[in-house]
Amino acid sequence: MKKKILILAVAAVSIPTQGQTLEECWRAAEQNYPLIRQYDLIEKTKLLTVANIQKGWLPQVSAQAQATYQSDVTAWPDQMKTMMTGMGVDMKGLKKDQYRVAVDVQQTIYDGGTISNQKTIALEQANVQSAQTEVNLYAVRRRVNEMYFALLMLEEQMQLNRDLQELLAGNEQKLKAMVKGGTAAESDWKNVKAERLNVVQQATTLQSQKRMLTAMLYTFCGMPLPSALGGATIVKPAIVSPSGGEGGARPEMRLFDAQLRLTEAQEQGLKSALMPRLGIFAQGYYGYPGLNMFQDMMRHRWSLNGVIGARLTWNISALYTHKNDKAKLQLQRQLTETNRDVFLFNNRLEQIQQQEEIARYRKLMADDEEIISLRSAVRKAAESKLAHGIIDVNDLVREINQENAARVQRSIHEIEMLKEIYDNKFTTNN
């Protein structure tokens, strides 16, 4: 049983895989592009930031140690000190060197929505970063399009090159037979053979260019390189109708929306900055002097002391810059909206240009088939005329090249139209 499984696995590996489609290359390139790691980094940063902000509701604890020397301290009036001394009470007074080791604890009860708003801003900032990353990753598709359709064009040219070699080889064999029969000059046969060898040289150049482009495309997409780069193939995309729309599906639109939501959150932050804050606090310290100052005048000893209470604070100075800060956010909102309008405007112009190019290539392709048919008929007639000695071999070679040029032109028109169609899909994301 294990041997059977092993045989099937080896057979599955040995089966040649189908060519890569354009959509597969898009997805592979986006997954392979180093920028995609930013999604995970942004998410982790967001969680850490929100967790830190949430800790604003925890008691805030601080510790301090302090040592001071004062130029003067609180003391008894001289008359009272004399009277107390007469009564046998030693009034030493406070010492000028004082010490304190303290712990402060503060607990927020009401913050005017500051912590909640800070969380919202952190989340929206993360959304903006993720949206910007998505925009940058989406742009990778255009680079894939350039390499993919360039490689597709090379494959079409290589196929036409093989057809041309076959056609020239057929005529070469005919001329070789005619030379043996004495109905054609040996120079005519050599002329066609030289032309075929030129085409073979072109095939070598095309094959080298294909290996280079294949390596670039597969490396860019993070796909394993085929064992034979020259034999790798890609799938010609289907001819579909141009996509429509106003570019609303593009990731740039989500970026603009995220930027506007961030502006709204920042505006709410300005409002919360104007609100009062309520909290409770506790302070305990060990040192000299303590809170009972009269007792510390009589004995110079450290003591434990504590204070608890509630505190209401209102930062009125936030009003000084509130109007200007709000105006700045309004300008930021208008800038984002303007950028969105500019993007949609340019996107629409790009769609118009692409759709016009697609229509132009469709019209050209409608004539290409007829041109090829006519050139093929002329070439076949030239072959017949050469066989009857009416024309020389140069005329035949010229007709063969003109037919091949017509076929190349049709392939160029088709691939260029496909590229415009899928560039249009990139423009609309539909």
Side-chain angles (χ1 to χ4, degrees):
M1 183 64 182
K2 291 183 178 180
K3 291 183 177 179
K4 291 182 179 180
I5 294 175
L6 180 60
I7 292 172
L8 289 174
V10 172
V13 172
S14 63
I15 295 175
T17 58
Q18 294 182 350
Q20 299 292 335
T21 66
L22 180 58
E23 288 78 6
E24 288 172 346
C25 290
W26 282 347
R27 291 191 293 269
E30 290 175 356
Q31 292 297 319
N32 181 61
Y33 204 61
L35 192 64
I36 198 170
R37 294 195 292 269
Q38 282 195 3
Y39 282 119
D40 186 50
L41 298 176
I42 291 170
E43 180 66 20
K44 290 180 178 178
T45 302
K46 178 187 73 175
L47 295 176
L48 291 173
T49 302
V50 171
N52 285 342
I53 293 173
Q54 188 66 29
K55 287 180 171 58
W57 289 112
L58 297 178
Q60 305 300 305
V61 182
S62 63
Q64 62 176 351
Q66 175 179 302
T68 62
Y69 182 84
Q70 301 180 193
S71 61
D72 203 356
V73 292
T74 304
W76 293 101
D78 292 337
Q79 293 180 348
M80 183 173 293
K81 187 175 182 180
T82 302
M83 182 180 66
M84 298 297 289
T85 302
M87 297 173 58
V89 179
D90 184 12
M91 300 298 296
K92 299 178 181 179
L94 294 177
K95 296 174 65 176
K96 292 184 177 181
D97 54 320
Q98 301 184 0
Y99 309 90
R100 173 180 298 195
V101 179
V103 175
D104 291 329
V105 180
Q106 301 187 39
Q107 174 64 57
T108 300
I109 303 298
Y110 173 74
D111 69 343
T114 299
I115 293 177
S116 175
N117 187 258
Q118 287 176 346
K119 288 172 55 180
T120 302
I121 291 176
L123 293 173
E124 295 301 339
Q125 286 174 336
N127 290 338
V128 169
Q129 292 175 338
S130 295
Q132 183 62 64
T133 301
E134 185 181 358
V135 169
N136 296 337
L137 278 176
Y138 186 75
V140 169
R141 294 190 180 188
R142 188 181 288 277
R143 297 174 64 180
V144 172
N145 281 3
E146 296 295 331
M147 290 184 283
Y148 192 93
F149 285 103
L151 185 56
L152 196 61
M153 181 74 75
L154 279 175
E155 290 188 349
E156 289 288 320
Q157 291 179 358
M158 290 176 66
Q159 181 59 50
L160 292 173
N161 182 279
R162 289 190 290 269
D163 294 341
L164 182 56
Q165 287 186 50
E166 184 178 348
L167 180 60
L168 287 170
N171 280 280
E172 183 183 341
Q173 293 299 320
K174 291 178 183 178
L175 282 169
K176 187 176 182 180
M178 291 172 67
V179 170
K180 289 182 179 180
T183 57
E186 186 176 357
S187 60
D188 292 340
W189 168 69
K190 291 181 177 179
N191 192 352
V192 174
K193 183 177 181 179
E195 189 66 26
R196 179 180 62 81
L197 292 176
N198 284 334
V199 176
V200 171
Q201 286 183 332
Q202 294 173 10
T204 302
T205 301
L206 291 172
Q207 189 72 11
S208 176
Q209 292 175 345
K210 180 183 178 181
R211 286 195 297 268
M212 177 191 67
L213 264 178
T214 301
M216 289 177 60
L217 177 62
Y218 276 64
T219 301
F220 189 80
C221 296
M223 299 182 295
L225 293 176
S227 56
L229 289 176
T233 59
I234 56 177
V235 179
K236 182 188 293 185
I239 298 177
V240 297
S241 300
S243 304
E246 296 296 329
R250 286 282 294 267
E252 286 85 351
M253 298 302 294
R254 292 188 284 278
L255 173 60
F256 295 135
D257 291 340
Q259 289 173 339
L260 290 174
R261 290 194 301 269
L262 175 59
T263 303
E264 291 176 1
Q266 290 170 334
E267 289 176 344
Q268 290 298 320
L270 292 180
K271 294 180 181 179
S272 63
L274 299 177
M275 301 299 291
R277 286 156 176 72
L278 177 64
I280 57 176
F281 66 92
Q283 183 186 72
Y285 72 91
Y286 179 65
Y288 171 85
L291 295 176
N292 191 340
M293 191 173 297
F294 291 113
Q295 186 175 17
D296 290 333
M297 287 181 178
M298 299 176 64
R299 60 177 186 176
H300 297 164
R301 291 189 302 177
W302 288 35
S303 61
L304 287 172
N305 303 270
V307 178
I308 62 171
R311 181 183 293 118
L312 179 68
T313 59
W314 194 355
N315 185 14
I316 305 298
S317 62
L319 289 170
Y320 300 161
T321 60
H322 179 79
K323 183 178 180 180
N324 289 342
D325 290 339
K326 187 174 182 180
K328 285 170 58 179
L329 290 177
Q330 288 294 333
L331 292 175
Q332 183 175 322
R333 177 193 297 276
Q334 293 174 13
L335 180 61
T336 302
E337 292 173 345
T338 300
N339 289 337
R340 180 176 59 187
D341 293 340
V342 170
F343 170 78
L344 291 174
F345 181 80
N346 291 333
N347 186 272
R348 182 56 185 159
L349 289 181
E350 191 173 3
Q351 288 186 55
I352 292 173
Q353 180 182 0
Q354 290 167 344
Q355 291 168 0
E356 182 58 34
E357 288 293 303
I358 292 169
R360 180 172 71 87
Y361 284 123
R362 287 188 186 276
K363 293 178 182 178
L364 291 174
M365 289 177 63
D367 296 331
D368 282 335
E369 292 299 331
E370 185 176 1
I371 293 172
I372 291 173
S373 178
L374 293 172
R375 288 295 181 189
S376 179
V378 171
R379 185 261 306 165
K380 291 176 181 178
E383 290 175 341
S384 177
K385 290 178 181 179
L386 179 65
H388 291 85
I390 300 175
I391 62 173
D392 60 20
V393 72
N394 291 325
D395 294 327
L396 174 62
V397 171
R398 183 179 64 252
E399 296 303 335
I400 290 175
N401 287 333
Q402 287 183 350
E403 180 188 358
N404 181 68
R407 294 182 184 277
V408 169
Q409 198 65 29
R410 179 190 61 180
S411 294
I412 291 174
H413 291 160
E414 182 183 9
I415 301 303
E416 289 292 341
M417 184 185 71
L418 279 171
K419 185 176 183 302
E420 289 292 340
I421 289 174
Y422 284 88
D423 281 347
N424 180 253
K425 288 176 68 68
F426 172 85
T427 302
T428 60
N429 196 24
N430 289 332

